[in-house]
Amino acid sequence: MNLPFDVRFERRSEDNPWWLPVATALGSVVVAFVISGIILKLTGGQPLVVGKFFWQATFGSWPTFSDTIVKATPLILVGLACAVAFKMKLWNIGAEGQFYMGAFFASLVVLVPIVPMDSPKVVILGSMMIMGMIGGALWGFFPGFLKAKFNVNEIITTLMLNYVAILWNNFWIFDKWSDAGFQMTPMFDKKAWLPRLADYAHQYKAFSGITLHLGVLIGFVAAIVVWWIFQRSRWGYEIKLIGDNPEAARYAGLNITRNIVLVMMFSGALAGLAGMSEVSGVVHRLQERISPGYGFTGIIVAWLAKLNPFAVIVVSILFGALIVAGREIQPSGLAQLLQGIILFMVISSDVLLRYKIRIVRVKPLTA
Amino acid sequence: MNLEIILHAGIATGTILLFATIGELITERSGIINLGVEGMMLVGAMTGFSVSLATGNPWLGVLMAMLAAGMLGLAHGLVTIHLQADQVVSGLALTFLGTGLALVFGEGLTGKNPPLVPNWSLPGLAHIPFIGPTFFANHSVLVYIGYIFIPAVWFFIYKTRPGMHLRAIGEKPEAADTLGVNVYRLRYLYTFVGACLAGLSGATISLAVSPGWYSAQTTSGQGWIAVGLVIFAQWNPLRAAFGAYLFGALRRGILDLQGPAVLLGFTNPLYINSNWSFFLKMAPYLLVILALVVGSRAAIKKHIGSPAALGVPYIRGDR
């Protein structure tokens, strides 16, 4: 077949304009929504009705928007966790397990209890945050250590540890701390709850029923810290260098082994903090399925945000909306499907950043 | 507890891992990592189940399961081979996509009873003491296909010309290219083949070994274990088969440990408090990690390892 034109890929030599990555990311999300709509139609659903419902359930009113932000909060932290690891080309797929371990360790503060429950709220919440980060960091340490010491593939180890973390959590909520045989611990003391806007409803009427909690601020602060590390600190520079060119980093005398362990622990600590924010800000107890796959969604969030900490916040809100709507939309896998297609579109569209696609006229061959 | 029964069940469970592991091994041998095994297995399990339900023909179900998963594999191929996207991220995307597709299209399949792949006892062989009842009696046909499949794959990879090309495009694609091997086309082919096998593995769950559709619980992480087993096997199909049956037997054995009140003369702690079984259920996942540690230490010592061009996009004319 001889077409009168030819599609050519030309490698981009100059730097991309700043808007191009943003445009391709937005474009891929739009295309992903359209494709999901088509699939929904194929299964006999009504895409436009679902779409309208999606909007109302997520951004339609203040309480629903607050729900969206509440779901976005753990995503911000987990997305940052993935972004940090991915910057160094460390595939931490274990944010889900680190999240659970963070939640578990944070809950220990109340359940053991580690600090007396009559101490001030700041002390209790502070120690929960620290314990959450320790739990996540611990769960990041093992794969990091195995990778650094024995060159064991971190994708598999982090993934396997996800399952281990969930089973570990299950043991404690089914056994020692089960609340009267239910698969959950007793409700935490109010002092271990992150403050919510609804708590101030007696002063400001508008806040009643708004579940937004302090965790979102933790997320914002974490984003600033991550941004500062990458843009301003020597450590961040080292991480980026190792990620971009490990050979050069080795010749420059950087300690790659140590950095692998440290970055995995830092990444785990952020995911653990997300777990703490969820038990302390939302569920107020340790129970089964505290995460509807936040750890995995965080991977997509980080990638869609091109590992930029502030973009992580924006993308998290979109995916928070997906989770809120996904709880109510039938069929239940739709949100996950949409996430998969979005990620596919994003990585496919990256080719536009590396190549110019040109359609050129081919001169007809004349004999 | 009867060892025969446990091994029998272990072989059946191992067959699930066998197809998925060997499929991923073939794909990785060609230089492409496809981490989407879990998603492809779910799509295979769902497709096989629902096609068998709709048509009444389990074999058509198996075939469609392979094709459906194969299509996902081709998507991975397009994104990583031509668009040169990162293979790790694309594989993760495939996991989400496959899981989502399987859940959306699998809505309402739970509790249905489609015709299953039949069970056979091999005449003659089934009557050998111990070995017969364990390996050759009352197994799904898919289990026997697995037995034949292992030596066939080994022979293909190491003893045939296409098998040599497969190894070449994973080790040194530019050299293979100079010899006239079409690297792109073969990588597509083997990504497709590997994906089809993941689909077969999924159908093995839903139509043979543990029949039914239990949404995401159907696979419960076996796709990821398969990915780990490929590394444990050091890309050798015989080691992969050994690992698959070992882990299959392990998964089953754990379930069986909870039953008896007295175990080896001791009171079974799992019988008194079944919550202890959560720790037991961790064992397969922890053992995968252990196997990887042992495997990678051996690999460093013997200077063997992954195919040299694994995960590296091949760009013709970029040398």
Side-chain angles (χ1 to χ4, degrees):
Chain A
M1 194 171 58
N2 275 322
L3 293 171
F5 58 87
D6 192 11
V7 182
R8 280 192 194 155
F9 286 59
E10 286 173 17
R11 208 170 263 268
R12 285 182 188 269
S13 44
E14 73 279 23
D15 277 348
N16 289 321
W18 66 269
W19 52 265
L20 192 66
V22 181
T24 56
L26 278 178
S28 8
V29 172
V30 171
V31 173
F33 269 93
V34 172
I35 295 180
S36 307
I38 294 171
I39 293 179
L40 189 62
K41 189 88 199 165
L42 286 179
T43 63
Q46 291 170 300
L48 290 179
V49 176
V50 172
K52 198 171 161 215
F53 173 79
F54 180 93
W55 178 261
Q56 280 167 353
T58 52
F59 299 103
S61 67
W62 283 113
T64 55
F65 182 62
S66 143
D67 276 355
T68 298
I69 302 290
V70 167
K71 290 291 171 199
T73 302
L75 288 180
I76 294 173
L77 287 163
V78 167
L80 289 171
C82 294
V84 166
F86 293 173
K87 267 265 173 31
M88 211 176 112
K89 300 255 157 65
L90 274 176
W91 300 111
N92 180 12
I93 315 298
E96 183 81 357
Q98 291 144 13
F99 176 98
Y100 270 94
M101 279 325 230
F104 175 78
F105 272 67
S107 303
L108 285 182
V109 172
V110 186
L111 295 168
V112 171
I114 291 178
V115 291
M117 273 300 118
D118 47 11
S119 18
K121 189 163 182 149
V122 184
V123 175
I124 295 178
L125 287 178
S127 27
M128 284 177 83
M129 284 174 65
I130 292 169
M131 285 301 282
M133 288 198 275
I134 290 176
L138 181 74
W139 227 231
F141 168 80
F142 296 120
F145 175 78
L146 291 177
K147 164 90 175 174
K149 185 93 181 160
F150 303 115
N151 195 27
V152 174
N153 187 311
E154 78 278 14
I155 300 174
I156 308 296
T157 46
T158 49
L159 247 161
M160 295 294 131
L161 287 178
N162 286 343
Y163 293 100
V164 175
I166 291 170
L167 288 166
W168 171 264
N169 240 15
N170 277 350
F171 172 74
W172 295 99
I173 56 183
F174 275 77
D175 196 88
K176 180 152 167 57
W177 285 313
S178 165
D179 184 17
F182 289 106
Q183 291 136 24
M184 49 175 74
T185 64
M187 187 75 82
F188 294 167
D189 190 294
K190 282 244 175 184
K191 278 189 164 172
W193 294 19
L194 281 172
R196 294 196 289 198
L197 283 185
D199 299 345
Y200 302 94
H202 56 277
Q203 290 162 10
Y204 307 96
K205 264 259 151 54
F207 286 170
S208 75
I210 305 271
T211 50
L212 190 67
H213 60 85
L214 198 66
V216 72
L217 282 186
I218 302 179
F220 289 162
V221 172
I224 295 170
V225 169
V226 170
W227 173 84
W228 183 86
I229 288 176
F230 281 125
Q231 296 305 320
R232 294 282 181 274
S233 81
R234 187 191 152 87
W235 188 44
Y237 179 74
E238 287 186 15
I239 295 173
K240 278 194 285 188
L241 186 61
I242 296 173
D244 289 341
N245 193 340
E247 282 307 304
R250 204 185 304 274
Y251 284 124
L254 297 184
N255 190 337
I256 296 184
T257 325
R258 204 189 59 171
N259 270 316
I260 288 176
V261 179
L262 283 180
V263 167
M264 280 302 289
M265 287 177 73
F266 182 44
S267 174
L270 285 168
L273 199 53
M276 175 273 166
S277 143
E278 201 66 4
V279 284
S280 169
V282 182
V283 274
H284 303 137
R285 52 159 50 119
L286 196 61
Q287 62 180 37
E288 251 195 314
R289 299 204 186 91
I290 41 175
S291 156
Y294 288 130
F296 298 107
T297 306
I299 298 165
I300 310 180
V301 167
W303 208 256
L304 191 54
K306 304 267 190 282
L307 312 186
N308 176 319
F310 297 123
V312 163
I313 297 177
V314 178
V315 177
S316 293
I317 294 173
L318 170 70
F319 278 80
L322 269 181
I323 293 175
V324 169
R327 283 182 311 189
E328 290 156 45
I329 287 181
Q330 292 297 324
S332 55
L334 197 65
Q336 214 160 0
L337 178 70
L338 196 51
Q339 292 181 12
I341 297 178
I342 290 178
L343 186 55
F344 244 122
M345 290 300 135
V346 171
I347 54 175
S348 310
S349 69
D350 275 355
V351 78
L352 298 175
L353 303 181
R354 275 178 283 123
Y355 293 92
K356 267 184 190 159
I357 295 175
R358 229 175 235 167
I359 297 174
V360 285
R361 193 186 293 274
V362 181
K363 280 189 191 130
L365 287 172
T366 43
Chain B
M1 264 196 313
N2 186 333
L3 191 62
E4 257 172 38
I5 295 174
I6 293 176
L7 278 180
H8 184 272
I11 292 285
T13 319
T15 306
I16 300 168
L17 283 173
L18 175 78
F19 289 132
T21 308
I22 301 252
E24 177 65 13
L25 185 144
I26 291 173
T27 304
E28 290 196 11
R29 276 281 182 164
S30 81
I32 302 281
I33 307 173
N34 185 352
L35 293 181
V37 184
E38 178 85 1
M40 298 187 295
M41 277 173 73
L42 273 172
V43 164
M46 182 278 298
T47 311
F49 194 81
S50 77
V51 169
S52 174
L53 190 68
T55 64
N57 185 341
W59 291 108
L60 197 63
V62 171
L63 185 72
M64 293 313 286
M66 294 176 72
L67 284 180
M71 296 307 287
L72 284 182
L74 284 183
H76 179 70
L78 176 69
V79 170
T80 56
I81 299 170
H82 267 112
L83 302 182
Q84 296 157 26
D86 192 287
Q87 298 181 4
V88 172
V89 187
S90 172
L92 290 171
L94 203 62
T95 309
F96 289 108
L97 184 65
T99 312
L101 279 173
L103 296 187
V104 168
F105 284 96
E107 187 88 349
L109 286 182
T110 310
K112 298 275 167 54
N113 291 306
L116 304 177
V117 174
N119 279 10
W120 282 357
S121 294
L122 296 188
L125 289 172
H127 298 296
I128 307 171
F130 187 72
I131 292 176
T134 311
F135 295 97
F136 301 115
N138 206 23
H139 269 306
S140 168
V141 178
L142 291 171
V143 172
Y144 302 119
I145 293 178
Y147 294 159
I148 306 166
F149 183 66
I150 302 161
V153 168
W154 177 84
F155 186 81
F156 175 81
I157 292 180
Y158 293 106
K159 300 289 170 195
T160 67
R161 203 171 176 78
M164 193 186 77
H165 291 164
L166 164 62
R167 283 180 288 145
I169 58 172
E171 294 287 349
K172 223 168 171 33
E174 53 285 353
D177 198 352
T178 8
L179 291 174
V181 176
N182 189 333
V183 177
Y184 290 122
R185 194 156 72 197
L186 284 185
R187 282 191 168 176
Y188 268 108
L189 174 70
Y190 289 119
T191 310
F192 178 72
V193 169
C196 286
L197 287 168
L200 174 61
S201 155
T204 308
I205 304 176
S206 66
L207 288 178
V209 175
S210 35
W213 173 248
Y214 310 99
S215 57
Q217 306 295 310
T218 313
T219 48
S220 60
Q222 294 192 74
W224 292 109
I225 292 191
V227 176
L229 282 178
V230 175
I231 302 173
F232 161 74
Q234 294 296 318
W235 294 268
N236 177 330
L238 299 183
R239 279 186 68 161
F242 170 72
Y245 287 128
L246 182 71
F247 274 85
L250 202 77
R251 269 183 95 86
R252 267 308 303 215
I254 284 169
L255 292 180
D256 293 325
L257 274 181
Q258 295 167 39
V262 177
L263 202 65
L264 306 170
F266 294 94
T267 329
N268 186 354
L270 297 170
Y271 187 75
I272 298 166
N273 183 351
S274 61
N275 287 336
W276 287 99
S277 68
F278 285 120
F279 291 103
L280 211 56
K281 282 184 193 144
M282 292 176 190
Y285 306 113
L286 290 174
L287 277 171
V288 168
I289 296 178
L290 188 70
L292 289 189
V293 174
V294 174
S296 50
R297 292 198 66 177
I300 293 168
K301 243 186 241 157
K302 287 187 213 150
H303 299 287
I304 47 171
S306 60
L310 185 59
V312 186
Y314 179 61
I315 307 164
R316 203 164 189 202
D318 219 32
R319 276 163 278 162

